[in-house]
Amino acid sequence: MQARPIRLTEGDAMRAPFKSAVFMAALLAGPGLSPAAAAAASLLPHRAVYDLRLADQQPQGGSEGMAAVGGRMVFEFTGTPCEGYTVNFRFVVEMTDGEGSTTVTDLRTSTFESGAGDSFDFLSQTFTNQVLTDEVKGAAVRGDSGVSVDLVSPTEAKVAFKPEVIFPTEHLLKVIAAAEKGDTVLAGEVFDGSETGDKTYATSTIIGEPISGPPEGPAASVGTTRRWPVTVAYFDASQGGDLTPEYSIGFDLFDNGVSADLRMDYGEFALQGDLTHFEALPTTPCE
């Protein structure tokens, strides 16, 4: 899964960043992966469904204003290094506050990233109680001088970022490559079209020791047992100094890009995402 910072507060709507989620901090990522390097990771096309609930352990002082939270997240990943990667993502959550008021937020995101990591198209829509409240749409292209973004909504604009900025699938590939090498920390700056589509996130990724034993439940059908516990913290890349993450996500990352046992920490509260359905999708070999 590409971790995406999903902006979620009590009484407010979510906004997207897997993304991915679904990763950031002091150092910047190096040059992009070549298509050949990307192919080595063998990302598995798949559809995964996660049921969402309040995590058993909450941030200190958090979740006091909420009586209940529940929802579902559906993540679909398809593509190859040759044809590029498509992600369709839906995140629906119902939040009830202490006074009994309920808000349903529905985030729908669709992205396409070239296999070479040199272009990224994105569309994100947020519905609050079935009313469209946010839309972010645009396209980013990597050139010799950096990454340029053409925004269509929420407003038409052009934004430029440094050459070191990478896109979500390339970031995921870098995390898997780091885990395979035995690295425990990875930092990089990521653009994923989230929020208002005009900012990047500095990410800091912590990778634990490989998890032993076979996975259980729906994760048993992922097709591989090699996986690592991963935590990715997201920071506003425009801010300097010693920062508190805006958002973090922890999960078990399989070597084919599938994720299980999600924990999303928003600072005010944390959600647990339990993998309840997994389906491998047809693959198309590169020619």
Side-chain angles (χ1 to χ4, degrees):
M1 169 182 288
Q2 303 159 8
R4 295 176 60 86
I6 302 159
R7 305 298 300 155
L8 181 62
T9 58
E10 300 178 36
D12 220 348
M14 290 175 294
R15 299 185 208 138
F18 85 317
K19 292 282 357 276
S20 169
V22 90
F23 300 89
M24 317 183 183
L27 302 177
L28 298 178
L33 294 177
S34 67
S42 298
L43 298 179
L44 179 69
H46 67 281
R47 182 182 297 111
V49 179
Y50 306 84
D51 281 354
L52 305 173
R53 57 183 172 83
L54 278 174
D56 294 334
Q57 290 188 322
Q58 291 295 313
Q60 186 173 4
S63 73
E64 295 178 356
M66 284 181 293
V69 177
R72 176 164 290 182
M73 181 169 69
V74 181
F75 179 87
E76 183 176 288
F77 178 91
T78 58
T80 67
C82 302
E83 63 186 18
Y85 301 102
T86 297
V87 172
N88 289 302
F89 172 85
R90 190 170 181 184
F91 187 109
V92 181
V93 65
E94 180 179 278
M95 306 175 68
T96 303
D97 63 22
E99 299 178 351
S101 177
T102 298
T103 301
V104 177
T105 304
D106 182 353
L107 169 66
R108 308 173 190 181
T109 297
S110 180
T111 66
F112 174 80
E113 183 175 337
S114 68
D118 54 11
S119 67
F120 181 69
D121 300 335
F122 54 95
L123 170 64
S124 177
Q125 295 176 311
T126 301
F127 295 81
T128 304
N129 294 333
Q130 300 184 338
V131 176
L132 179 63
T133 53
D134 262 321
E135 179 175 276
V136 181
K137 181 179 181 180
V141 177
R142 183 186 311 285
D144 293 338
S145 59
V147 173
S148 60
V149 180
D150 284 325
L151 273 175
V152 176
S153 61
T155 58
E156 292 189 3
K158 292 185 180 295
V159 187
F161 301 112
K162 63 190 73 172
E164 295 87 353
V165 170
I166 58 177
F167 302 132
T169 300
E170 184 173 358
H171 188 213
L172 173 63
L173 291 164
K174 285 180 176 289
V175 173
I176 295 173
E180 293 281 13
K181 289 195 304 179
D183 293 344
T184 59
V185 179
L186 178 71
E189 190 169 338
V190 178
F191 176 80
D192 59 13
S194 61
E195 292 287 337
T196 51
D198 58 358
K199 65 186 292 185
T200 61
Y201 282 90
T203 62
S204 177
T205 303
I206 306 300
I207 305 168
E209 293 291 325
I211 300 171
S212 60
E216 299 178 349
S221 58
V222 165
T224 178
T225 62
R226 187 163 174 77
R227 62 203 191 280
W228 303 264
V230 171
T231 300
V232 186
Y234 291 81
F235 304 80
D236 185 343
S238 66
Q239 304 296 315
D242 188 12
L243 300 175
T244 300
E246 293 193 357
Y247 166 92
S248 67
I249 179 170
F251 50 96
D252 292 348
L253 176 63
F254 288 81
D255 62 2
N256 59 5
V258 178
S259 296
D261 290 335
L262 309 183
R263 177 184 166 87
M264 294 161 280
D265 189 338
Y266 297 93
E268 296 178 356
F269 63 95
L271 295 181
Q272 178 73 32
D274 300 315
L275 180 64
T276 56
H277 174 78
F278 174 82
E279 177 185 356
L281 300 177
T283 59
T284 303
C286 283
E287 298 181 359

